Amino acid sequence: LARALISAAERSTGIKCRQVAPNDSNLSGAEAVLDPEAKTIWYSSGVEKELATLYQVHEFAHHWIDGAHASCQSADIDIDLGEERTPTGLEIVESYGPKERRELQANVFAKEFLLPAENLRHWFVDEKLNASDIAIKVGIPLSVVYHQLIYSLLTPQALVPEDAKTVSTSSGQTGLDPS
């Protein structure tokens, strides 16, 4: 499934994904690089296939979010992070900058692109697939499935039944906005 999504992203953007050796000069020490001028995402052959998939989609996220050149280390592509990072130690002093925000946005985008919450809920709840089966089906790290399960099943948005999200008035108009 993930391979099909990456192929569709390549067709849609004209950007090609190219696997290279970990010490390749196109990576400049990174795990993955979006090179807009070359219309290429370079990614390291030195990581597991499932993680390489996530890295590629993370770089496509940079293309769609800001279109800028991006060079991402493994710490930038943190598969276990949610939408917000809790700063500790020196991070509190150094504060939170634009690069960190871009990386978090790309992480969240990549996870949702590869495993949308609605699909995950369907597979897990309706089809009774376990997390390992879903990870294999999609071709992504198991930890991403766990993270997305938490988000898709336990967040307040996920807990509100579909029929309770809109309230109609006697005139037939919705009395509340969708939020």
Side-chain angles (χ1 to χ4, degrees):
L1 194 83
R3 186 68 244 158
L5 290 170
I6 290 172
S7 294
E10 286 177 316
R11 285 190 306 276
S12 171
T13 63
I15 294 172
K16 296 295 179 198
C17 294
R18 302 281 186 244
Q19 185 180 53
V20 294
N23 61 350
D24 188 280
S25 62
N26 288 303
L27 288 176
S28 300
E31 296 292 343
V33 172
L34 168 62
D35 184 347
E37 292 80 33
K39 292 189 109 5
T40 303
I41 291 172
W42 308 100
Y43 66 97
S44 174
S45 63
V47 298
E48 298 172 19
K49 179 181 163 186
E50 293 82 7
L51 197 53
T53 297
L54 188 67
Y55 287 3
Q56 291 168 71
V57 175
H58 176 97
E59 296 307 318
F60 273 115
H62 282 300
H63 167 75
W64 284 314
I65 293 170
D66 56 31
H69 183 277
S71 177
C72 300
Q73 308 296 325
S74 59
D76 296 326
I77 309 170
D78 192 334
I79 60 177
D80 297 322
L81 280 180
E83 295 181 24
E84 296 297 330
R85 223 180 222 162
T86 304
T88 58
L90 187 58
E91 291 174 336
I92 293 171
V93 176
E94 291 178 343
S95 79
Y96 184 75
K99 179 173 177 22
E100 291 83 7
R101 175 48 92 192
R102 281 191 359 253
E103 295 306 330
L104 284 173
Q105 289 173 334
N107 287 334
V108 171
F109 179 97
K111 289 179 218 176
E112 193 63 24
F113 181 84
L114 289 167
L115 190 57
E118 186 175 312
N119 292 4
L120 179 57
R121 270 192 305 277
H122 171 72
W123 290 332
F124 189 76
V125 175
D126 300 332
E127 293 187 16
K128 308 285 190 239
L129 295 178
N130 65 37
S132 296
D133 292 338
I134 294 168
I136 292 166
K137 177 182 183 105
V138 178
I140 58 175
L142 182 59
S143 60
V144 172
V145 176
Y146 287 144
H147 179 274
Q148 287 294 90
L149 276 170
I150 291 168
Y151 171 75
S152 68
L153 298 175
L154 300 178
T155 59
Q157 174 184 347
L159 298 175
V160 177
E162 283 301 316
D163 59 349
K165 290 183 179 176
T166 307
V167 176
S168 295
T169 63
S170 58
S171 66
Q173 299 293 320
T174 55
L176 300 174
D177 68 2
S179 63

mmCIF file of all heavy atoms in Angstrom, residues 113-133:
data_model
loop_
_atom_site.group_PDB
_atom_site.id
_atom_site.type_symbol
_atom_site.label_atom_id
_atom_site.label_comp_id
_atom_site.label_asym_id
_atom_site.label_seq_id
_atom_site.Cartn_x
_atom_site.Cartn_y
_atom_site.Cartn_z
ATOM 1 N N PHE A 113 -0.718 10.569 5.924
ATOM 2 C CA PHE A 113 -0.716 10.223 4.501
ATOM 3 C C PHE A 113 -0.631 8.706 4.320
ATOM 4 O O PHE A 113 -1.352 8.125 3.515
ATOM 5 C CB PHE A 113 0.478 10.900 3.806
ATOM 6 C CG PHE A 113 0.581 10.648 2.326
ATOM 7 C CD1 PHE A 113 -0.142 11.420 1.432
ATOM 8 C CD2 PHE A 113 1.418 9.669 1.826
ATOM 9 C CE1 PHE A 113 -0.040 11.206 0.059
ATOM 10 C CE2 PHE A 113 1.526 9.439 0.459
ATOM 11 C CZ PHE A 113 0.794 10.217 -0.425
ATOM 12 N N LEU A 114 0.249 8.082 5.075
ATOM 13 C CA LEU A 114 0.442 6.633 4.952
ATOM 14 C C LEU A 114 -0.645 5.825 5.652
ATOM 15 O O LEU A 114 -0.983 4.727 5.206
ATOM 16 C CB LEU A 114 1.805 6.242 5.529
ATOM 17 C CG LEU A 114 3.004 6.672 4.702
ATOM 18 C CD1 LEU A 114 4.285 6.523 5.505
ATOM 19 C CD2 LEU A 114 3.073 5.880 3.401
ATOM 20 N N LEU A 115 -1.174 6.367 6.734
ATOM 21 C CA LEU A 115 -2.144 5.610 7.523
ATOM 22 C C LEU A 115 -3.214 6.558 8.072
ATOM 23 O O LEU A 115 -3.206 6.910 9.249
ATOM 24 C CB LEU A 115 -1.416 4.887 8.666
ATOM 25 C CG LEU A 115 -2.220 3.866 9.451
ATOM 26 C CD1 LEU A 115 -2.787 2.777 8.542
ATOM 27 C CD2 LEU A 115 -1.332 3.227 10.508
ATOM 28 N N PRO A 116 -4.137 6.978 7.208
ATOM 29 C CA PRO A 116 -5.192 7.885 7.672
ATOM 30 C C PRO A 116 -5.998 7.266 8.809
ATOM 31 O O PRO A 116 -6.279 6.068 8.806
ATOM 32 C CB PRO A 116 -6.077 8.070 6.430
ATOM 33 C CG PRO A 116 -5.227 7.671 5.274
ATOM 34 C CD PRO A 116 -4.266 6.643 5.798
ATOM 35 N N ALA A 117 -6.349 8.083 9.770
ATOM 36 C CA ALA A 117 -7.061 7.607 10.958
ATOM 37 C C ALA A 117 -8.336 6.855 10.594
ATOM 38 O O ALA A 117 -8.653 5.825 11.193
ATOM 39 C CB ALA A 117 -7.384 8.785 11.878
ATOM 40 N N GLU A 118 -9.063 7.329 9.602
ATOM 41 C CA GLU A 118 -10.314 6.673 9.211
ATOM 42 C C GLU A 118 -10.060 5.250 8.695
ATOM 43 O O GLU A 118 -10.768 4.310 9.052
ATOM 44 C CB GLU A 118 -11.009 7.508 8.138
ATOM 45 C CG GLU A 118 -12.371 6.999 7.765
ATOM 46 C CD GLU A 118 -13.068 7.936 6.781
ATOM 47 O OE1 GLU A 118 -13.075 9.149 7.036
ATOM 48 O OE2 GLU A 118 -13.577 7.421 5.776
ATOM 49 N N ASN A 119 -9.043 5.081 7.855
ATOM 50 C CA ASN A 119 -8.698 3.739 7.359
ATOM 51 C C ASN A 119 -8.252 2.835 8.501
ATOM 52 O O ASN A 119 -8.644 1.669 8.568
ATOM 53 C CB ASN A 119 -7.578 3.811 6.330
ATOM 54 C CG ASN A 119 -7.991 4.483 5.053
ATOM 55 O OD1 ASN A 119 -9.098 4.983 4.921
ATOM 56 N ND2 ASN A 119 -7.093 4.509 4.096
ATOM 57 N N LEU A 120 -7.430 3.390 9.373
ATOM 58 C CA LEU A 120 -6.922 2.608 10.498
ATOM 59 C C LEU A 120 -8.060 2.139 11.394
ATOM 60 O O LEU A 120 -8.106 0.962 11.778
ATOM 61 C CB LEU A 120 -5.911 3.427 11.297
ATOM 62 C CG LEU A 120 -5.311 2.745 12.514
ATOM 63 C CD1 LEU A 120 -4.617 1.437 12.147
ATOM 64 C CD2 LEU A 120 -4.344 3.689 13.199
ATOM 65 N N ARG A 121 -8.974 3.033 11.722
ATOM 66 C CA ARG A 121 -10.129 2.646 12.545
ATOM 67 C C ARG A 121 -10.911 1.514 11.880
ATOM 68 O O ARG A 121 -11.293 0.550 12.533
ATOM 69 C CB ARG A 121 -11.066 3.841 12.778
ATOM 70 C CG ARG A 121 -10.753 4.645 14.012
ATOM 71 C CD ARG A 121 -11.861 5.624 14.373
ATOM 72 N NE ARG A 121 -12.235 6.527 13.302
ATOM 73 C CZ ARG A 121 -11.610 7.648 13.005
ATOM 74 N NH1 ARG A 121 -10.564 8.012 13.714
ATOM 75 N NH2 ARG A 121 -12.022 8.407 12.016
ATOM 76 N N HIS A 122 -11.117 1.622 10.584
ATOM 77 C CA HIS A 122 -11.860 0.587 9.857
ATOM 78 C C HIS A 122 -11.132 -0.762 9.942
ATOM 79 O O HIS A 122 -11.744 -1.779 10.257
ATOM 80 C CB HIS A 122 -12.060 0.998 8.396
ATOM 81 C CG HIS A 122 -12.620 -0.091 7.549
ATOM 82 N ND1 HIS A 122 -13.937 -0.505 7.644
ATOM 83 C CD2 HIS A 122 -12.038 -0.870 6.610
ATOM 84 C CE1 HIS A 122 -14.130 -1.495 6.795
ATOM 85 N NE2 HIS A 122 -13.006 -1.737 6.153
ATOM 86 N N TRP A 123 -9.848 -0.762 9.650
ATOM 87 C CA TRP A 123 -9.089 -2.020 9.674
ATOM 88 C C TRP A 123 -9.043 -2.615 11.079
ATOM 89 O O TRP A 123 -9.177 -3.808 11.254
ATOM 90 C CB TRP A 123 -7.673 -1.814 9.157
ATOM 91 C CG TRP A 123 -7.601 -1.533 7.693
ATOM 92 C CD1 TRP A 123 -8.475 -1.935 6.721
ATOM 93 C CD2 TRP A 123 -6.595 -0.780 7.028
ATOM 94 N NE1 TRP A 123 -8.068 -1.482 5.493
ATOM 95 C CE2 TRP A 123 -6.915 -0.774 5.648
ATOM 96 C CE3 TRP A 123 -5.451 -0.104 7.454
ATOM 97 C CZ2 TRP A 123 -6.128 -0.133 4.699
ATOM 98 C CZ3 TRP A 123 -4.670 0.523 6.500
ATOM 99 C CH2 TRP A 123 -5.008 0.517 5.138
ATOM 100 N N PHE A 124 -8.833 -1.760 12.082
ATOM 101 C CA PHE A 124 -8.665 -2.241 13.445
ATOM 102 C C PHE A 124 -9.999 -2.640 14.078
ATOM 103 O O PHE A 124 -10.111 -3.712 14.676
ATOM 104 C CB PHE A 124 -7.973 -1.158 14.290
ATOM 105 C CG PHE A 124 -7.545 -1.620 15.656
ATOM 106 C CD1 PHE A 124 -6.425 -2.414 15.817
ATOM 107 C CD2 PHE A 124 -8.263 -1.242 16.778
ATOM 108 C CE1 PHE A 124 -6.028 -2.842 17.078
ATOM 109 C CE2 PHE A 124 -7.870 -1.661 18.040
ATOM 110 C CZ PHE A 124 -6.747 -2.460 18.191
ATOM 111 N N VAL A 125 -11.005 -1.802 13.947
ATOM 112 C CA VAL A 125 -12.291 -2.044 14.610
ATOM 113 C C VAL A 125 -13.187 -2.968 13.788
ATOM 114 O O VAL A 125 -13.693 -3.961 14.299
ATOM 115 C CB VAL A 125 -13.020 -0.707 14.904
ATOM 116 C CG1 VAL A 125 -14.400 -0.945 15.482
ATOM 117 C CG2 VAL A 125 -12.183 0.153 15.848
ATOM 118 N N ASP A 126 -13.368 -2.658 12.517
ATOM 119 C CA ASP A 126 -14.311 -3.415 11.698
ATOM 120 C C ASP A 126 -13.727 -4.726 11.161
ATOM 121 O O ASP A 126 -14.381 -5.758 11.199
ATOM 122 C CB ASP A 126 -14.813 -2.564 10.524
ATOM 123 C CG ASP A 126 -15.513 -1.301 10.981
ATOM 124 O OD1 ASP A 126 -16.072 -1.300 12.097
ATOM 125 O OD2 ASP A 126 -15.484 -0.301 10.234
ATOM 126 N N GLU A 127 -12.504 -4.644 10.640
ATOM 127 C CA GLU A 127 -11.899 -5.849 10.062
ATOM 128 C C GLU A 127 -11.110 -6.673 11.083
ATOM 129 O O GLU A 127 -10.618 -7.738 10.758
ATOM 130 C CB GLU A 127 -11.005 -5.480 8.879
ATOM 131 C CG GLU A 127 -11.782 -4.931 7.697
ATOM 132 C CD GLU A 127 -10.917 -4.720 6.471
ATOM 133 O OE1 GLU A 127 -9.791 -5.258 6.413
ATOM 134 O OE2 GLU A 127 -11.380 -4.008 5.559
ATOM 135 N N LYS A 128 -10.963 -6.123 12.297
ATOM 136 C CA LYS A 128 -10.281 -6.827 13.401
ATOM 137 C C LYS A 128 -8.821 -7.176 13.097
ATOM 138 O O LYS A 128 -8.296 -8.179 13.574
ATOM 139 C CB LYS A 128 -11.034 -8.111 13.791
ATOM 140 C CG LYS A 128 -12.501 -7.935 14.079
ATOM 141 C CD LYS A 128 -12.729 -7.283 15.402
ATOM 142 C CE LYS A 128 -14.205 -7.331 15.778
ATOM 143 N NZ LYS A 128 -14.786 -6.049 15.990
ATOM 144 N N LEU A 129 -8.145 -6.335 12.312
ATOM 145 C CA LEU A 129 -6.719 -6.534 12.072
ATOM 146 C C LEU A 129 -5.955 -6.018 13.280
ATOM 147 O O LEU A 129 -6.313 -4.987 13.858
ATOM 148 C CB LEU A 129 -6.264 -5.780 10.821
ATOM 149 C CG LEU A 129 -6.838 -6.242 9.485
ATOM 150 C CD1 LEU A 129 -6.322 -5.350 8.358
ATOM 151 C CD2 LEU A 129 -6.492 -7.696 9.214
ATOM 152 N N ASN A 130 -4.889 -6.697 13.672
ATOM 153 C CA ASN A 130 -4.078 -6.193 14.775
ATOM 154 C C ASN A 130 -3.013 -5.238 14.228
ATOM 155 O O ASN A 130 -2.841 -5.109 13.004
ATOM 156 C CB ASN A 130 -3.479 -7.341 15.599
ATOM 157 C CG ASN A 130 -2.487 -8.176 14.826
ATOM 158 O OD1 ASN A 130 -1.720 -7.673 14.014
ATOM 159 N ND2 ASN A 130 -2.481 -9.474 15.093
ATOM 160 N N ALA A 131 -2.302 -4.575 15.105
ATOM 161 C CA ALA A 131 -1.319 -3.565 14.707
ATOM 162 C C ALA A 131 -0.241 -4.148 13.797
ATOM 163 O O ALA A 131 0.151 -3.519 12.807
ATOM 164 C CB ALA A 131 -0.704 -2.918 15.942
ATOM 165 N N SER A 132 0.237 -5.344 14.113
ATOM 166 C CA SER A 132 1.277 -5.973 13.280
ATOM 167 C C SER A 132 0.765 -6.240 11.872
ATOM 168 O O SER A 132 1.474 -6.006 10.887
ATOM 169 C CB SER A 132 1.749 -7.286 13.904
ATOM 170 O OG SER A 132 2.370 -7.043 15.131
ATOM 171 N N ASP A 133 -0.458 -6.732 11.758
ATOM 172 C CA ASP A 133 -1.042 -6.993 10.441
ATOM 173 C C ASP A 133 -1.174 -5.705 9.635
ATOM 174 O O ASP A 133 -0.925 -5.685 8.428
ATOM 175 C CB ASP A 133 -2.415 -7.652 10.576
ATOM 176 C CG ASP A 133 -2.348 -9.068 11.125
ATOM 177 O OD1 ASP A 133 -1.276 -9.710 11.026
ATOM 178 O OD2 ASP A 133 -3.375 -9.533 11.667
#
